[in-house]
Amino acid sequence: MVAGDGQGKNIHDLPDEIILDVFSFFSFNELIDILQNVCVRWKRLAHDPVLWCDKEYIVRGRAQNGRSCCGVTCSECAHCRCEKTDREVLRTAGMMPQLWTLTMMRGTRARILRKICRNCPNLTTLQLHGCQKMNYSLLKYIFEKCPKIEKLIIANNLLADRQYTELVSCLEHLQSLEVFENRRGAGPVLLRFLADTCSKLREINLSCDYHPLEDVEYFVKAKRDTLTSATVRWTMAGKRCVVPVLKEAASSLKKLQLRLFDVALEEEAATFADLGELHNLRELHCNQLCPHRPRLISLAFQPGCLPLLQKLDLPHATDLPDDAVVTISRGCPSLRHLSLTFATSLTDGALAEIHRLKHLQILDLSGCSGLGGSAVAHVAQLPALRTLLLQYIDDLTDLQPSLRHVLDLKQLRCLDILYSGHIRAVPFEEFSVRLVNFRELHVTYEEEDEVFYKNVLLRCRVKCLGSG
């Protein structure tokens, strides 16, 4: 920054609005460690709420790698500050009164947690670690000092207790509740009570399987017009399938994550047909989808079933058949993001009709080891594709001869081939001429190839990982 312009004016003459616009380009750490130490005015401006809406403060253990708000390590993220020691936390606690997001990745002493919450009254997202020693008075103090909480991530053993659940129900702005399993056998979350008392609750995340299906059904019925997001297991206590229950909220449910497929063989067909009746879904995530009869998966994606679906993630569906992907291509015309990672049974035939997905922007085929010489030719017919992921492909030459068709993806901005082998099969030399929108390459290469990639990809912002 230039202090003056030679005519007696300097940055301090600028109005607050312009300085705030400049400050918006600074990282979390710079807001704390630099800007607040310049002068009283800058400290006041550095506390402006507009600068903090996307910031996350993480308290982590000494041995943990800090996860950030955008998925990268905290050291690479401008929106995160990640600290390990209690001394660091105590120093920072009073310097971020407009903080919105606090993530506790370890337990800490009660006085430290109290100080954070006392100095951060505007928290809207709070994650408490399962190892955090918690009593009634501490949780009550937290919620009294941070009454604006909209999203709470908390251990299941707390919400199996009526008095703790009553405290949660006092959060009048609570919209999203994520319950993680901290203690097996602690008892089910008191879903009926939450359904009756948390009027604004519209997102629920339950990773445990021992909730009575009747309680889940009561909750869904109570929220049938407002429930927008749910994360649940395919079956609840007694191996009873939860999908038919979710149909009660079919008009409002937009995001669904289903975990650990364990539906009985005789119920699979009805389950996938019921899933296809959630017509308003925009996002669907099904991890490790491995039914006894994989061909039945197609029942959920028949034309007319999920026409509004924009994001579909089916990771580690190792037996996913080609027919299912063809059906998805026909029945989900609104898809923007399709992830089929490690669907090892897929062949090129699965992509034969993927060109129907006119709006698809992100396609992840990482670990799909069954793909062959015509796969990329099918992918190249996607007119809006911006990001293509082909990680963990042992030998990219297996995608020849159609691998050259990557050059036909005129809108391609990012190619991610991390941890894939024989990457020189990709026609990098022509990228700068044919792919005018290309900006980002994720590639693992040998050290001696570094000069090659830096010289060839003149128009790209290259993100690289060494092979070692």
Side-chain angles (χ1 to χ4, degrees):
M1 293 184 182
V2 181
D5 63 1
Q7 299 179 355
K9 293 184 178 181
N10 59 46
I11 192 170
H12 298 291
D13 296 318
L14 295 174
D16 288 355
E17 292 78 9
I18 294 179
I19 294 182
L20 282 174
D21 188 52
V22 174
F23 281 7
S24 68
F25 292 95
F26 284 83
S27 69
F28 192 146
N29 291 333
E30 290 166 335
L31 284 175
I32 293 290
D33 299 328
I34 299 176
L35 299 183
Q36 294 193 42
N37 296 317
V38 173
C39 62
V40 173
R41 184 191 181 201
W42 281 29
K43 182 174 183 178
R44 173 178 61 83
L45 293 175
H47 288 170
D48 193 283
V50 73
L51 301 176
W52 291 90
C53 61
D54 60 347
K55 302 298 189 291
E56 179 181 14
Y57 184 60
I58 300 175
V59 178
R60 66 184 178 94
R62 295 176 182 274
Q64 292 171 322
N65 291 320
R67 165 221 36 98
S68 79
C69 55
C70 58
V72 302
T73 58
C74 294
S75 61
E76 299 175 348
C77 177
H79 305 293
C80 273
R81 185 178 179 92
C82 187
E83 295 185 323
K84 303 177 184 178
T85 68
D86 290 349
R87 178 178 296 181
E88 291 173 329
V89 174
L90 288 171
R91 180 193 63 206
T92 303
M95 304 177 72
M96 46 187 185
Q98 299 297 336
L99 183 71
W100 284 22
T101 303
L102 171 64
T103 299
M104 303 296 297
M105 297 182 70
R106 65 173 171 88
T108 187
R109 285 174 288 180
R111 70 179 184 89
I112 295 175
L113 188 54
R114 285 175 181 265
K115 181 172 182 179
I116 297 175
C117 294
R118 183 170 64 248
N119 287 280
C120 300
N122 295 298
L123 283 182
T124 60
T125 299
L126 173 63
Q127 176 175 335
L128 295 173
H129 193 271
C131 292
Q132 179 64 52
K133 293 182 178 179
M134 187 67 62
N135 56 35
Y136 181 85
S137 62
L138 177 56
L139 192 64
K140 186 173 185 288
Y141 183 88
I142 292 172
F143 291 165
E144 286 176 346
K145 296 301 179 182
C146 304
K148 299 179 181 180
I149 291 175
E150 297 177 2
K151 180 177 182 179
L152 178 65
I153 304 173
I154 194 168
N156 68 313
N157 57 292
L158 294 179
L159 292 188
D161 188 298
R162 176 67 178 238
Q163 64 174 346
Y164 287 92
T165 307
E166 288 177 348
L167 285 179
V168 171
S169 69
C170 293
L171 293 171
E172 60 183 64
H173 300 287
L174 187 65
Q175 299 180 28
S176 177
L177 179 63
E178 180 175 337
V179 184
F180 59 87
E181 186 170 12
N182 182 49
R183 187 184 303 165
R184 187 72 179 180
V189 172
L190 301 179
L191 288 175
R192 292 174 181 259
F193 182 78
L194 291 170
D196 293 336
T197 57
C198 298
S199 60
K200 295 186 178 180
L201 189 60
R202 56 187 178 86
E203 299 181 3
I204 189 74
N205 184 327
L206 302 173
S207 61
C208 314
D209 66 342
Y210 46 75
H211 296 90
L213 190 63
E214 293 79 8
D215 289 358
V216 178
E217 186 173 16
Y218 183 94
F219 182 90
V220 172
K221 284 185 176 180
K223 301 291 183 180
R224 64 165 62 90
D225 297 322
T226 56
L227 185 66
T228 60
S229 176
T231 299
V232 292
R233 301 213 5 181
W234 283 88
T235 64
M236 289 296 172
K239 299 299 181 183
R240 299 176 63 187
C241 187
V242 75
V243 177
V245 170
L246 295 173
K247 289 163 58 178
E248 286 283 346
S251 62
S252 62
L253 194 61
K254 295 182 179 180
K255 181 177 180 180
L256 176 61
Q257 294 190 47
L258 292 166
R259 297 178 174 173
L260 299 176
F261 187 88
D262 55 355
V263 176
L265 172 63
E266 62 274 13
E267 296 181 6
E268 287 182 348
T271 296
F272 287 116
D274 287 338
L275 182 60
E277 293 187 34
L278 302 178
H279 302 306
N280 283 313
L281 281 184
R282 267 63 167 184
E283 295 187 28
L284 176 60
H285 176 102
C286 302
N287 188 38
Q288 294 179 323
L289 182 57
C290 298
H292 297 89
R293 294 175 290 177
R295 295 181 67 88
L296 294 178
I297 296 173
S298 298
L299 294 176
F301 303 102
Q302 295 293 325
C305 288
L306 302 175
L308 303 179
L309 196 65
Q310 297 182 8
K311 182 176 181 179
L312 177 60
D313 192 4
L314 302 177
H316 298 278
T318 53
D319 295 325
L320 187 69
D322 289 353
D323 289 349
V325 180
V326 171
T327 304
I328 291 167
S329 301
R330 295 172 180 173
C332 303
S334 300
L335 273 183
R336 265 69 172 172
H337 185 153
L338 177 59
S339 179
L340 305 171
T341 56
F342 296 96
T344 52
S345 294
L346 293 184
T347 70
D348 295 357
L351 307 176
E353 297 190 36
I354 201 170
H355 62 272
R356 294 174 178 266
L357 301 178
K358 302 298 184 183
H359 306 288
L360 195 67
Q361 298 180 3
I362 300 173
L363 177 61
D364 192 348
L365 298 173
S366 298
C368 293
S369 55
L371 298 180
S374 62
V376 181
H378 295 309
V379 171
Q381 297 180 57
L382 293 167
L385 196 69
R386 299 173 61 132
T387 300
L388 176 61
L389 294 94
L390 293 170
Q391 297 183 1
Y392 297 99
I393 303 297
D394 291 338
D395 188 350
L396 285 172
T397 60
D398 290 341
L399 303 182
Q400 296 283 25
S402 76
L403 189 57
R404 281 193 56 81
H405 285 282
V406 72
L407 298 170
D408 297 331
L409 289 165
K410 302 304 181 184
Q411 300 303 317
L412 191 68
R413 297 179 63 88
C414 174
L415 176 65
D416 188 336
I417 51 174
L418 283 173
Y419 315 115
S420 290
H422 297 94
I423 59 177
R424 280 185 177 265
V426 180
F428 294 115
E429 294 90 343
E430 299 180 51
F431 274 32
S432 59
V433 176
R434 298 281 299 277
L435 300 179
V436 296
N437 294 304
F438 195 70
R439 295 293 181 271
E440 190 171 340
L441 174 71
H442 300 248
V443 56
T444 310
Y445 59 82
E446 300 292 343
E447 186 174 344
E448 58 267 22
D449 290 331
E450 182 175 2
V451 174
F452 169 79
Y453 292 108
K454 286 186 176 180
N455 289 337
V456 168
L457 300 173
L458 298 176
R459 302 176 63 91
C460 307
R461 178 169 59 87
V462 182
K463 182 175 181 178
C464 302
L465 292 181
S467 61

